[in-house]
Amino acid sequence: MVHPRLPRGIWRNTYKIPAAVEFLRDCREEYVLYADSDDAVLTGDPARAIDCLQQSGGEMLISTTPHADYVFMPEMQGVFESAARSAGYGTGKALHLNSGVYVGRRAFLLTFLEEVAKYITEYDARYPQYKLQYGRSLNPPRPFPLGCGSDQNIFRFIYPRFADKIRLDYTQRLALR
């Protein structure tokens, strides 16, 4: 399998999404584990990720974080806190979706990431700059999350559309953040 090409220049976290979509289109494995984060650590043997997914009952299992930055979509903080309570983890710290580590069935991941890719533009900002520029006004230049440069924010934004198939790893069996 050929490795996808990543754009050159200033890195944006959204750059990895088209590369992942390209990879998934060529991949023939049933399950895919994705780990790409400078602030998350895989826990245990990565081979057990499939067992974690199967035990979750979902098509995709995503790592979690205590980080709750919802500047442009404040209503989503309640969505994730409510989901954690419903799953029995309302008092934990890592209640929020973290896009750095996930495992899933290839077909579902492809569908999900193709939806994520719809919010990526060639002019994506680096999220810290995007937040600094537009955070005070709460009035981004395009409908959020289009062009925000943050795969995690896009994952969080579209999560409700896929919530019936996605499970969040509140016990942090996949990764620590």
Side-chain angles (χ1 to χ4, degrees), residues 158-170:
I158 69 169
Y159 167 81
R161 290 184 245 166
F162 296 93
D164 61 325
K165 296 187 186 284
I166 294 175
R167 302 296 179 266
L168 299 175
D169 184 27
Y170 298 115

Side-chain angles (χ1 to χ4, degrees), residues 13-171:
N13 286 334
T14 50
Y15 283 174
K16 57 192 170 187
I17 300 304
V21 167
E22 183 181 332
F23 172 82
L24 290 168
R25 286 181 179 151
D26 292 336
C27 179
R28 295 297 163 238
E29 299 297 324
E30 182 177 357
Y31 298 99
V32 174
L33 171 63
Y34 176 89
D36 176 34
S37 183
D38 61 356
D39 59 358
V41 177
L42 287 175
T43 55
D45 182 353
R48 68 184 182 74
I50 295 170
D51 290 337
C52 293
L53 172 66
Q54 291 172 338
Q55 290 168 10
S56 79
E59 295 289 309
M60 180 180 189
L61 180 63
I62 304 178
S63 63
T64 59
T65 178
H67 183 64
D69 182 8
Y70 294 97
V71 171
F72 297 103
M73 51 182 173
E75 69 286 355
M76 291 306 294
Q77 183 166 349
V79 167
F80 286 101
E81 290 171 358
S82 176
R85 279 191 303 278
S86 294
Y89 297 99
T91 59
K93 292 183 181 178
L95 306 180
H96 306 277
L97 183 153
N98 176 272
S99 63
V101 178
Y102 52 86
V103 61
R105 293 185 177 275
R106 185 200 63 81
F108 178 77
L109 290 179
L110 180 58
T111 299
F112 180 78
L113 292 177
E114 285 175 334
E115 189 64 25
V116 170
K118 292 178 182 177
Y119 294 93
I120 299 169
T121 72
E122 63 181 291
Y123 305 107
D124 279 8
R126 291 183 67 229
Y127 185 66
Q129 284 71 31
Y130 183 96
K131 186 174 159 185
L132 183 65
Q133 185 172 358
Y134 303 112
R136 290 191 180 152
S137 71
L138 295 179
N139 189 19
R142 301 176 190 96
F144 187 80
L146 189 67
C148 74
S150 169
D151 59 319
Q152 182 161 286
N153 277 311
I154 299 170
F155 276 39
R156 288 176 175 186
F157 181 80
I158 69 169
Y159 167 81
R161 290 184 245 166
F162 296 93
D164 61 325
K165 296 187 186 284
I166 294 175
R167 302 296 179 266
L168 299 175
D169 184 27
Y170 298 115
T171 59

